[in-house]
Amino acid sequence: MQAWSRPEIPTLDVDPRRPRVFDSATQALVEVGPTGGDARLYVCGITPYDATHLGHANTYLAFDLLNRTWRDAGLGVTYTQNVTDVDDPLLERAGATGVAWEDLAEEQTELFRTDMEALRILPPDHYVGAVESIPLVVALIERLRDTGLVYQVADDEHPDWYFRCSAAEGFMGVAHLDLDAARAIFAERGGDPDRPGKDDPFDCLVWRLAREGEPAWPSSLGQGRPGWHIECTAIALEHLGPHFDVQGGGADLVFPHHEMCALEARAATGEPFAHAYVHAGMVGYQGEKMSKSKGNLVFVSKLREAGHDPMAIRLALLAHHYRTDWEYTDADLAAAEERLARWRGVLNEPSSLPAAETIAAVRDALRDDLDAPAALAAVDTWVEASETIGGDDTDAVCAVVAALDALLGVRL
Ligand code: 5CA
Ligand code: ZN
C-alpha cells in the first residue's frame, strides 16, 4: 500500500545518545535502538473506519517522536505499519451503513493518510494491508501448525484455526495479567474465551473459515480470512524480521493483541518478537475513552475543516506525556493555539538568547521517555525570555526553528 508523503526534516548535528522508553514487558525504562545502522519499528495501524480521531493521532504522534529521536541520534529507521483492512468491526460497520467494505477501508485509509500528512507525522517505509498480506499470514500459520501450536476448533460447521496461546513459551510475558482479568479483557477486545470446542479459553483465532456473506480467500487451511493478531505478527516478521526494536500501539493493545503477537512470533522463529513493547496512553472525551464503539470521537479532519492549524493540533497532543491517559477538551486546542501564536511571534524576530541550551533541553527531554511536555516547557522558557529582552541574533532563532521542526515536528 502507499503511505503518505514524507515531510522534510531539517538536518541538525548528530546527538548520538539513544532514547529510553517504558517497556510494558519488563515494566522498566529501557534504552532502545541499535548502536549503529537502522532501528526497526512496528506500530499497529488503524482499522479503517472512524479515522482519524485524536486518540489515533496521539498514538501515532508518540511513535513519531521516537522515530525523530532515533534519527537525531544518527540512526536510520525502518518503520512498518499495518492497516487492518479486513476484520469483524470493519465488516460490521460496512454492513450497517450499506457501504462495500473495500470502499469503506479505502476511503478511511485515504483520510488517515491526509491527516497524518497534515500533522507532519513521518510515514512508515512499509505500509501494509492485511488483505495484501494473506499469503504471508497463511505461510506463518502453516509454520505454526507444524509445531503443533495451531489446531482446528471442534466445530463441525466452522472448524476455524486457533493458536494455543497459553501453551506457548512466554505466556503473559508482555501483559502480566492475572488470568481472570485477562479473560474478561480478551472477551471485550475481540476474543472468544467461551467458544465451545476450543482447547483453552485463551487460544486465539488465526484463520476464520468462510461464512455466508463474508469475504474469504482460498488457502491450504480452507477458504477463509486472517485473524487479527496473526496479521501483525506476519507483517512485522516479513518487513522487519524477528527481535526488532520496538512494537508500539495504544495501551488498549497490550492484551490480547501484543501479548499474542509476541507468542506467535516466538513460537514460529524461536526468537523474541520485539526488544521493547511501548504503549501510548488513552485519550478520552466526555468522560470516557475515545472509541469507535462509544462514538465519542473528535476527528482530526473535522478540526482541520473548522480552520484549526494542524500544528496547533499537534501541540495540543504534545502537551500531554505519551504514557498518560487524558481527556480532551476544547481548552486543550485553545491553549495550543495560543502557544503556537506566541512562538511564531517571537521566532519571526531576532533574539539575543543563544539557542544551544534550549535545543539540548529538548533533546534531553525526548531521550528521557519521550517527555514532550518538558520539551515544550523548555521552548516556552526561551520564548518568554526572548519576548522580554529581544535582540539581534537571527542565527539563534533559525537554530530553534530547525530543532522544533526536526525533533518535535512543529513547523512554525
Ligand atoms: N488495527 C488495530 C491494530 S493492529 C487497531 O487497534 N486499530 S484501531 O483503529 O482501533 O486503533 C489504531 C491505533 O490507535 C491503535 O494503536 C490503538 O491502540 C490506538 N487508539 C485507539 N483509540 C485510542 C484512544 N482513545 N487513545 C489513544 N490511542 C488510541
Ligand atoms: Zn496490530
Side-chain angles (χ1 to χ4, degrees):
M1 250 184 206
Q2 194 154 341
W4 52 96
S5 53
R6 182 173 293 272
E8 254 176 66
I9 314 175
T11 316
L12 311 180
D13 57 318
V14 168
D15 173 352
R17 295 171 302 148
R18 291 177 295 159
R20 292 194 314 160
V21 290
F22 189 81
D23 170 32
S24 299
T26 55
Q27 291 284 297
L29 287 171
V30 294
E31 206 164 64
V32 287
T35 47
D38 278 13
R40 291 173 295 154
L41 171 67
Y42 186 89
V43 180
C44 281
I46 54 164
T47 303
Y49 68 99
D50 283 347
T52 311
H53 62 64
L54 287 178
H56 296 143
N58 194 61
T59 288
Y60 298 110
L61 177 55
F63 295 97
D64 191 58
L65 292 180
L66 176 60
N67 193 341
R68 287 169 183 273
T69 308
W70 271 332
R71 289 168 191 274
D72 186 45
L75 298 169
V77 180
T78 305
Y79 177 13
T80 300
Q81 188 181 126
N82 69 306
V83 183
T84 308
D85 57 1
V86 63
D87 200 11
D88 296 347
L90 174 74
L91 298 175
E92 279 160 24
R93 173 60 65 88
T97 50
V99 181
W101 63 273
E102 299 96 323
D103 294 345
L104 177 61
E106 207 174 296
E107 170 224 306
Q108 291 286 302
T109 304
E110 185 51 28
L111 183 58
F112 176 72
R113 289 186 187 101
T114 319
D115 289 332
M116 291 295 103
E117 203 171 309
L119 293 173
R120 298 182 73 76
I121 290 186
L122 302 177
D125 304 280
H126 305 284
Y127 194 45
V128 191
V131 171
E132 64 182 327
S133 304
I134 284 173
L136 298 177
V137 170
V138 171
L140 180 61
I141 299 171
E142 286 170 345
R143 202 161 148 192
L144 288 168
R145 186 178 55 182
D146 295 342
T147 69
L149 282 166
V150 158
Y151 67 97
Q152 283 187 279
V153 74
D155 176 333
D156 290 341
E157 204 184 344
H158 300 297
D160 302 319
W161 295 85
Y162 279 76
F163 172 72
R164 296 182 200 280
C165 293
S166 61
E169 188 188 335
F171 183 56
M172 281 301 171
V174 174
H176 306 291
L177 292 170
D178 79 64
L179 294 187
D180 287 340
R183 195 175 166 137
I185 296 174
F186 188 41
E188 257 170 47
R189 298 186 184 154
D192 52 4
D194 301 319
R195 179 170 180 184
K198 285 171 65 168
D199 287 356
D200 182 89
F202 289 108
D203 293 347
C204 67
L205 178 76
V206 289
W207 189 254
R208 177 175 161 94
L209 295 170
R211 310 289 202 270
E212 183 70 37
E214 289 185 10
W217 290 264
S219 84
S220 62
L221 307 158
Q223 180 94 3
R225 63 179 163 96
W228 174 27
H229 317 304
I230 198 77
E231 163 199 346
C232 284
T233 315
I235 294 173
L237 289 178
E238 172 72 11
H239 296 283
L240 297 175
H243 212 169
F244 56 89
D245 294 287
V246 168
Q247 157 77 315
D252 57 344
L253 298 187
V254 177
F255 192 84
H257 188 50
H258 289 175
E259 178 71 40
M260 293 185 176
C261 291
L263 294 168
E264 290 166 348
R266 180 180 275 279
T269 67
E271 289 189 65
F273 188 43
H275 170 64
Y277 299 83
V278 180
H279 295 102
M282 289 289 110
V283 180
Y285 187 53
Q286 297 173 334
E288 291 195 90
K289 171 191 151 187
M290 202 177 279
S291 80
K292 299 159 168 180
S293 48
K294 298 199 182 90
N296 56 336
L297 305 173
V298 179
F299 293 104
V300 171
S301 52
K302 290 275 185 297
L303 294 177
R304 290 169 50 218
E305 268 166 40
H308 296 286
D309 186 323
M311 291 300 95
I313 303 173
R314 187 160 174 127
L315 275 177
L317 302 175
L318 287 172
H320 301 269
H321 188 268
Y322 81 95
R323 273 204 285 136
T324 46
D325 296 336
W326 57 282
E327 188 166 320
Y328 174 79
T329 68
D330 293 346
D332 283 277
L333 191 52
E337 279 169 337
E338 203 182 306
R339 177 178 254 149
L340 185 64
R342 206 162 161 195
W343 286 11
R344 281 186 173 147
V346 164
L347 291 166
N348 287 322
E349 303 279 340
S351 164
S352 60
L353 283 177
E357 213 175 288
T358 303
I359 296 171
V362 170
R363 285 174 146 163
D364 287 350
L366 289 174
R367 278 160 180 78
D368 179 17
D369 200 19
L370 309 174
D371 192 347
L376 299 194
V379 179
D380 284 342
T381 304
W382 191 89
V383 165
E384 227 171 272
S386 297
E387 278 172 344
T388 333
I389 59 176
D392 57 8
D393 183 354
T394 312
D395 287 352
V397 168
C398 289
V400 173
V401 168
L404 286 181
D405 193 351
L407 301 172
L408 297 174
V410 177
R411 173 160 270 189
L412 293 178

